Amino acid sequence: MQKNICSRKAHRTVSNALKDQQRSRNPSIISIVLFSVTFFIWVFFGFISSGLVFCRLHSLLSSIIRSAGAFFPFFFLFITMDAGSFNSPSKSQSRNPLQEQLLQRRNSRENFDRFIPNRSAMDFDFAHYMLTEGRKGKENPLASSPAKEAYQKQLAEVFNMNRTRILAFKNKPPTPVELVPHEMSSFLPQSKPIKPRRHIPQSSEKTLDAPDILDDFYLNLLDWGSSNVLSIALGNTLYLWDATDGSTTELMTIDDENGPITSVRWAPDGRHIAIGLNNADVQLWDTVANRKLRTLQGGHRARVGSLDWNNHILTTGAMDGLIINNDVRVRSHIIETYRGHHREVCGLKWSASGQQLASGGNDNLLYIWDRSVASSNSPTQWLHRLEDHTAAVKALAWCPFQGNLLASGGGGGDRCIKFWNTHTGACLNSVDTGSQVCSLLWNTNERELLSSHGFTQNQLTLWKYPSMVKIAELTGHTSRVLFMAQSPDGCTVASAAADETLRFWNVFGNPEVAKPTSKTNSEPFSNINRIR
């Protein structure tokens, strides 16, 4: 009996436990399904949590899941372990520094999306006033008066309402970081200031009459001395024009039997001048004493059309094709004779060093003579014989900043300016000017070259060296510009043309520093009185 009672109690206990277990199993299955759906929603929003709204929703779901995990520890453990793969900062930060920078930048308040305004920098009261009260005066101009407008303007200034910016979409830019400290900036190389472009007047400064000037391409009738006196031969008379005071004097006149004058050249001292004549003689004059010192004879058999000085040596070139070096200090003045040209020598120029002589002739030839070669026993006297020109070579100019650079110009059949390396004899460049090249002058202050021309424009052209780009073209002469001369300071150029005018051009500008004139052997005629 007692055993039956115990078995019944045990059966009841077991049945009650089974019922309780069945009751508890049904809600646990429902809860698991519910939280599984929530988990997948949480994971989905976790992947797209870069937006501001989704971040808040993601954090809300995370808090709900964690609070529910108190009742389901296993599920909470699973969720937190899974969420740790996304939110654990220690492992992810240590493995990927780039992600750390992105997270810090995302959480910083100092960096905003460019489409989202900074509300803390906005003035909504002022914006509301501008949208409502501020437009009333403009919509109803009759209600406003000058006194009211002045009062409103003063009120706006007092309350700082004279602003036009209402919305602020970003903070102020950060202060730029100096790459180089201010203390070290003084040690850095300073860039050179850009030199302003020089103004070149297009018209001549002064124009003088030059009647009876010979229209002859092969002569040299104009020169400017170191004492700032210009000499010009007009027919049988040589005139001197003082550029300092503008005075003009007549130095000498030759008779018709021996004239006209075919060439003039100042000595380096600026006092003595050599005058070549049509009868093959060369006269030396003292312009200060206004007297003739001597006459050089016996060297040439035709007119002397070109002259140049090398200290006390006067070099003459004539129509007979000869080039003669004359030492004016001695009685027997002929010391050297160069033979190469077979027609008239119309151009002579010594280099600045006095070692090389360039000569051009009507035979279209250009010669480079070297004193060491000419005085030796070599089979030829010349250093180079250049045949590139196709017309008479009269215009010659040595470069002032490169001793072995020579510029030469050809006549009407050639029309070219050529540049030569006189050490090697190589032609460096050739430029077709389109017209007869009568004369050439280098700018002593800049890398520029000036050329004078004949038909058709009769112009002076300024070139940039070495590009040979035209800088300016100066017109005014109505006939070919046969002769040019440069002032001692290198600024002004005088041009004489077949139109019987003498024009002065300020083409080379003003020099930055005045260069002293050469004082070597300033008195080449110191022994002239001993000559009988």
Side-chain angles (χ1 to χ4, degrees), residues 270-306:
R271 173 173 177 171
H272 301 90
I273 191 170
I275 304 171
L277 301 177
N278 191 56
N279 66 348
D281 291 345
V282 178
Q283 294 184 1
L284 302 179
W285 283 75
D286 185 345
T287 59
V288 176
N290 198 18
R291 66 186 181 94
K292 183 175 67 172
L293 298 177
R294 66 178 298 185
T295 301
L296 305 179
Q297 295 176 328
H300 295 288
R301 300 182 302 273
R303 68 177 186 180
V304 180
S306 56

Side-chain angles (χ1 to χ4, degrees), residues 214 216-222 232-238 252 254 258-265 274-283 300 302-307 316-319 344-346 394 483:
L214 298 180
D216 194 329
F217 175 79
Y218 304 102
L219 304 183
N220 294 273
L221 305 179
L222 182 68
I232 182 170
L234 303 178
N236 294 346
T237 305
L238 182 67
M252 56 87 68
I254 197 72
N258 297 320
I261 299 174
T262 54
S263 58
V264 294
R265 189 67 171 170
I275 304 171
L277 301 177
N278 191 56
N279 66 348
D281 291 345
V282 178
Q283 294 184 1
H300 295 288
R303 68 177 186 180
V304 180
S306 56
L307 303 167
T316 60
M319 187 179 282
E344 182 172 13
V345 179
C346 51
K394 175 197 173 184
F483 319 111

Side-chain angles (χ1 to χ4, degrees), residues 8 21 48 53 82 93 102 143 176 196 294 387 450 504 530:
R8 290 178 182 173
Q21 185 178 2
I48 59 173
V53 178
D82 186 63
Q93 290 177 1
L102 294 175
R294 66 178 298 185
E387 304 176 358
L450 182 68
F504 296 86
R530 300 180 185 179

